Amino acid sequence: MRRSWIGLCAVVLVGCSAAPGQDEETGTTSEALQQCATNVVEGIDIYDGNGTIDWKSVKAAGVDFAMIKATQGTYNTQSTFAANWSGSKAAGLYRSAYHFFDPTEDGAAQAQHFLSVLGTPQPDDMPAMLDIECPDGDANCLGTGASGQASASDIYTRMWAWIDAVQKATGKKPIVYTFGSYFSSNAIDTTGLPPYPLFIADPTGGATNCFDVPAPWTSAVIWQYSWTGTVSGISGQVDRDRFIGTLAQLGSFANPPTTSSDAGARDASHADGAAHDSGGTSGEDGASPGPGEDGGPIGVPPPDGSTASPDAATGGSSGCGCRTAGGGPSGGYAAFAALAALGLSCRRRRVAREGERMLAPALGKTPCRRPTSGRA
C-alpha cells in the first residue's frame, strides 16, 4: 500500500460526474472534479510482461474486458498480442487493442503500424486505445532508454494524426489513456479531446470508488484503479480496470454508431498536420520494451464479488512522497516528514503522477512516480 496515503496530501472539494449516457448527478468545484462509480464492470490491461494467460480462467474470475497492448511507436509489436487477442475473444471478453505512443515519431506512421498489427476489428470489439504518457521527466519513459521528449506542438500534431487515422480506419473514436497531469504538465493543447473516451490512471480512490477527472474531460469511461491486482489465469500482478457502467452499457460502448474522423471540429491547421508531420527520430528502431511490469501501490478494494485482491497494506515496495521542487518534504506537512522518516522513496509507474495531480500547481509539487514499467 505504497501510496494510499496520498489522500493526506490535500483536502479537496469535489463533485461527482457520470460517464456519458448515465444518470448520476454531476457537479464541479474550482478545486477538482471527481467521478464516483456506482455500477462497474471489471477489466484488466495487459502486455508482453504478463506472460501466457489462461483466458478461460480470467473470464471465470469475473473479468469481462481486456485492454491488450499491440504496438509501440513504429518499432515494436507485442509478441503475445495475437494469442491474447484471439484468446480473450474466444473466452467471451470484450477486448480493445492499444498502442503506446512515441511522441518523437510521426503519428500517422505509428497508426499504420498499429493498424497493420490489429487487422480487421470484429463485432463487439471495443474502440482502439492510445496510451499517451511520455514525456514525463523520466529519461527512460519509453522503456527503450529514451524519454520521448518532444515539443508540445509536435505531440499535439502527432497525437491527432494517430487518432484521426485510427478513427477513420475503425469507424470508432479511439479511447485516450493518460494520467491526470499529462496534458497540463506538458502544456499540450487539449482542443478537440472531450468527445474522445477517457481511460484515466488514478489508483487513489480507495474504498470510496471515486477518482479525479482532468480537464478537458468531465467524466471518464474506464478507470485504472490498481497496478497490483491479481486474477486467476495470470501469473503475478496485473493492472486492474473498471468500466464505469453496466455490462449492457459496455456492450453499447463497444458497438457505437459508425463514425468518421472529427478532424473538421478542430483547427484545420492542426487537424491535418499529419500530412506535414515529418516525425521525429527516436533512434530506437528495432528496440523492444523494457523489463517486466513492476509492482505498484494502492490498496483499492474491488467491488463485491470481484476476484481482484486488494493490495497488501505493507506492500513490499517503497511508497512515493509528495516533494517540493527542492526535493525535500514540504514544510508544514507532517505526514510527508513521517513518510520520509520511514525511508519511503519516490518511484514511477507507467506513468501516473498522482502527487502532482493532487497538489500542483497550488503547492508547487513535483511528480510522484513509479518505476518504469515493461509496458513502455
Side-chain angles (χ1 to χ4, degrees):
M1 197 164 158
R2 298 187 305 180
R3 277 194 282 170
S4 58
W5 54 269
I6 289 180
L8 296 173
C9 295
V11 176
V12 294
L13 299 174
V14 298
C16 288
S17 67
Q22 297 182 39
D23 298 325
E24 296 175 62
E25 295 183 355
T26 62
T28 63
T29 73
S30 60
E31 296 293 335
L33 174 65
Q34 191 175 77
Q35 182 173 347
C36 298
T38 302
N39 296 312
V40 297
V41 179
E42 287 292 319
I44 55 176
D45 57 277
I46 60 166
Y47 73 116
D48 275 355
N50 294 115
T52 301
I53 295 176
D54 180 347
W55 285 105
K56 289 183 179 180
S57 294
V58 171
K59 174 65 175 177
V63 174
D64 286 306
F65 73 94
M67 318 298 287
I68 305 170
K69 183 175 180 179
T71 53
Q72 176 172 324
T74 60
Y75 46 82
N76 174 263
T77 298
Q78 296 282 283
S79 62
T80 57
F81 174 74
N84 287 330
W85 191 240
S86 61
S88 58
K89 177 78 170 180
L93 281 76
Y94 289 99
R95 60 184 184 175
S96 169
Y98 79 84
H99 174 79
F100 195 100
F101 182 68
D102 185 333
T104 68
E105 293 195 324
D106 179 86
Q110 291 188 66
Q112 291 308 308
H113 175 50
F114 171 77
L115 292 167
S116 70
V117 172
L118 173 63
T120 303
Q122 300 297 308
D124 288 335
D125 285 349
M126 298 166 65
M129 184 185 95
L130 181 63
D131 183 331
I132 181 165
E133 55 188 272
C134 296
D136 68 346
D138 190 302
N140 189 34
C141 184
L142 292 173
T144 61
S147 68
Q149 187 67 43
S151 71
S153 61
D154 282 346
I155 293 174
Y156 178 86
T157 298
R158 294 163 186 170
M159 173 187 72
W160 278 114
W162 191 97
I163 290 173
D164 288 340
V166 171
Q167 181 170 338
K168 182 177 180 180
T170 64
K172 298 178 181 179
K173 284 182 170 65
I175 301 164
V176 176
Y177 169 97
T178 195
F179 57 92
S181 63
Y182 176 80
F183 288 96
S184 60
S185 62
N186 286 294
I188 299 168
D189 185 3
T190 56
T191 300
L193 282 175
Y196 288 81
L198 172 64
F199 181 176
I200 187 67
D202 186 350
T204 61
T208 66
N209 222 23
C210 296
F211 52 92
D212 284 357
V213 178
W217 289 276
T218 57
S219 63
V221 174
I222 304 174
W223 171 32
Q224 185 179 70
Y225 68 89
S226 177
W227 298 318
T228 57
T230 58
V231 175
S232 296
I234 299 178
S235 177
Q237 296 176 334
V238 63
D239 290 348
R240 294 306 309 265
D241 311 318
R242 288 175 179 149
F243 172 81
I244 312 304
T246 65
L247 189 59
Q249 287 173 317
L250 176 57
S252 297
F253 176 68
N255 293 283
T258 301
T259 184
S260 60
S261 174
D262 287 345
R266 302 188 304 279
D267 180 349
S269 66
H270 294 292
D272 56 14
H276 309 288
D277 180 12
S278 61
T281 55
S282 68
E284 291 139 15
D285 289 353
S288 59
E293 177 91 354
D294 60 281
I298 310 309
V300 183
D304 292 342
S306 168
T307 58
S309 299
D311 302 328
T314 54
S317 302
S318 62
C320 179
C322 299
R323 308 177 77 82
T324 64
S330 175
Y333 290 89
F336 301 162
L339 289 164
L342 293 173
L344 302 180
S345 62
C346 203
R347 304 188 67 195
R348 177 188 182 268
R349 147 62 195 136
R350 71 172 220 178
V351 125
R353 295 185 286 186
E354 306 307 333
E356 180 182 63
R357 174 187 55 73
M358 297 194 69
L359 295 174
L363 299 180
K365 303 301 175 187
T366 53
C368 292
R369 303 185 297 172
R370 250 180 101 179
T372 303
S373 146
R375 182 182 315 282

